Amino acid sequence: MANKNYSIVVGLDIGTALTKVVICKLGDGIVEVLGLSETKTEGISCGNITNLFKLEETISKAINAAEDSAGINIKSVNVAIFGNYVKIGKYQCTTKVTNYNGLITKNDVNKLYRDISNVTTQPNCKILNIVPVRYSTDSIQNVSDPEGMISSHLTGEYNIIYAQNSVLKQFTECLNNCDLDVENIVAIPDALSKVILSEKNKEIESCIIDMGAGATVLSVFKNNALQNIVSIPLGGNAITNDIKAAFGISFEQAERLKIKFGNVLLNEISQDETVNVSSVNGNDVSSIYKYDICQVIKARVQEILDLVKKKALKQKVSFTPNRCNVHLVGGCANIKNICNVVNETFSCHCFIARIKDEYENLELDHKFFQSLGTVFFKNVETESIKKEVSLNFSKSKINEGGLNKILSSLKRFFVD
Ligand SMILES: Nc1ncnc2c1ncn2[C@@H]1O[C@H](COP(=O)(O)OP(=O)(O)OP(=O)(O)O)[C@@H](O)[C@H]1O
Ligand SMILES: [Mg+2]
């Protein structure tokens, strides 16, 4: 018999090259994918909206295609927001334990959370997620669950993930113009972690590298909590543009060659094999070596990863060589042997990201992980944070309703 205790939740990932939609049915621990779509994105460049009308057209097309595949109509979406827009701040606060005998209760933990939600950091920003990192008591550091411990004070450390109001507003308005309500806006690294990082990963350091068309984003996780994001505005489009420039061919032709012959392990490629290409004006046909195409691809892939590494060092983002697992996603993860280059660059163990065991039956390609993650993110936790709390929210502005929302969201964090 059909289960009526379900909800339909939609995840939308507006990528530089492709807009992906996942329509899910969620209920009683069951996840079912009802519909999918993948549409060429127009109107975005390097994560910035360059043509609002074209972007609206793209979104409408993508949603219509997903609606057709699921056979239902969509009214609202959870949207993944580009890693480049997302910032992480590390915050700490301390509260006096209220219980006379120093017994720490949920109230103390909630109070800390409320205090941290009022922290003044960047102006004109909204919180997307608040991640408790650890607590410390008078005598013990590094506590994950302080309830039931004895201390005069409790200190909490949090990572706050936020984005500029203006950016969120732009995307919200764009979606509203497509007759869609926005249920939730989720940072892509947060979304990906829900789909990829299993409980097992908690014991090891993990990174996710999302190498898309317009950007490459490295997210670092400890205990499955997002710690850092390093983003550079270069991805697969840069590789294609290099091929285009090197051989004087069109972007479309360069893209096809990249996808068909791309391999970054040069000793696997014959030095004699050629492929015919036509010049941009279509008048001349010439032959080029596949080896040369792969050399161009490898050089750019290496450069992108080197830049990510350099920026990570500059941002003092660290992870332990040889101990950290790197999960690779994004379209460029399809480049043959790309994990070898990641391994060499970061001295880590890199593999193509796999969906968590519990969702394996969905048989979903990794290109949909970002959109799927927004669906889980909503389901699992922060709906109630609801971004009402901007980072510069002053204490005087808190009303009871807002407070209750924060408190209830906190409970959900700790149930998780
Ligand atoms: N088999 C393949 N070999 C090489 N590159 C590929 C392959 N498949 C896809 N790509 C590249 O992946 C990129 C698209 O990936 P993806 O869909 O993750 O990007 P996006 O989400 O649209 O962009 P971004 O996340 O940067 O905004 C394109 O540059 C495309 O050429
Ligand atoms: Mg992407």
Side-chain angles (χ1 to χ4, degrees), residues 5-295:
N5 295 323
Y6 65 81
S7 50
I8 302 294
V9 189
V10 181
L12 169 69
D13 169 27
I14 309 165
T16 307
L18 294 168
T19 295
K20 301 99 173 168
V21 181
V22 175
I23 304 178
C24 284
K25 182 171 163 181
L26 305 178
D28 289 347
I30 292 166
V31 183
E32 207 181 308
V33 173
L34 301 181
L36 294 169
S37 77
E38 189 187 347
T39 305
K40 186 174 180 301
T41 305
E42 288 190 67
I44 287 230
S45 174
C46 294
N48 295 313
I49 300 179
T50 49
N51 185 327
L52 190 64
F53 303 115
K54 286 200 167 156
L55 183 60
E56 285 172 14
E57 242 173 65
T58 299
I59 292 169
S60 298
K61 246 195 235 172
I63 294 292
N64 287 341
E67 284 178 330
D68 287 348
S69 84
I72 53 172
N73 287 330
I74 295 169
K75 293 192 176 54
S76 61
V77 293
N78 297 274
V79 63
I81 183 163
F82 195 57
N84 207 22
Y85 289 135
V86 179
K87 301 273 176 283
I88 299 185
K90 295 181 187 303
Y91 299 94
Q92 174 174 318
C93 68
T94 300
T95 187
K96 196 169 178 313
V97 174
T98 46
N99 219 317
Y100 73 96
N101 58 6
L103 181 70
I104 299 170
T105 64
K106 206 174 220 81
N107 284 342
D108 300 308
V109 180
N110 289 355
K111 174 164 186 310
L112 266 188
Y113 187 87
R114 197 166 67 228
D115 291 349
I116 208 72
S117 305
N118 290 321
V119 121
T120 301
T121 55
Q122 299 282 315
N124 306 318
C125 286
K126 277 187 177 175
I127 292 175
L128 300 177
N129 194 6
I130 299 177
V131 185
V133 177
R134 65 177 151 240
Y135 298 91
S136 47
T137 64
D138 296 342
S139 53
I140 305 177
Q141 314 269 315
N142 247 332
V143 175
S144 57
D145 180 6
E147 275 183 59
M149 296 176 89
I150 310 282
S151 181
S152 69
H153 289 82
L154 177 65
T155 299
E157 284 176 45
Y158 301 85
N159 287 342
I160 298 183
I161 295 140
Y162 58 96
Q164 283 206 336
N165 276 329
S166 55
V167 170
L168 302 179
K169 193 164 166 255
Q170 258 189 5
F171 279 95
T172 306
E173 277 177 10
C174 175
L175 290 160
N176 291 161
N177 290 346
C178 301
D179 293 327
L180 293 164
D181 289 332
V182 178
E183 287 182 31
N184 212 0
I185 300 182
V186 183
I188 286 182
D190 263 336
L192 284 170
S193 73
K194 292 281 167 278
V195 178
I196 296 170
L197 300 184
S198 64
E199 279 301 300
K200 274 189 295 196
N201 292 116
K202 280 200 167 177
E203 277 113 58
I204 27 176
E205 284 176 39
S206 305
C207 293
I208 298 177
I209 295 181
D210 180 359
M211 205 168 180
T216 300
V217 182
L218 164 77
S219 331
V220 181
F221 296 82
K222 281 187 186 137
N223 292 326
N224 283 4
L226 183 56
Q227 306 287 332
N228 298 98
I229 298 175
V230 179
S231 170
I232 63 157
L234 290 170
N237 279 352
I239 304 172
T240 307
N241 277 321
D242 285 352
I243 300 172
K244 173 185 159 181
F247 304 108
I249 55 178
S250 68
F251 184 89
E252 289 67 30
Q253 197 171 186
E255 181 78 7
R256 278 197 297 277
L257 293 176
K258 176 182 80 172
I259 290 174
K260 191 153 181 208
F261 302 114
N263 185 349
V264 286
L265 209 56
L266 298 180
N267 58 17
E268 277 192 359
I269 305 150
S270 145
Q271 302 221 10
D272 309 322
E273 278 184 51
T274 57
V275 55
N276 284 345
V277 292
S278 49
S279 59
V280 180
N281 56 22
N283 293 339
D284 306 311
V285 176
S286 58
S287 74
I288 57 175
Y289 288 103
K290 289 181 187 171
Y291 188 88
D292 290 347
I293 300 171
C294 293
Q295 262 190 324

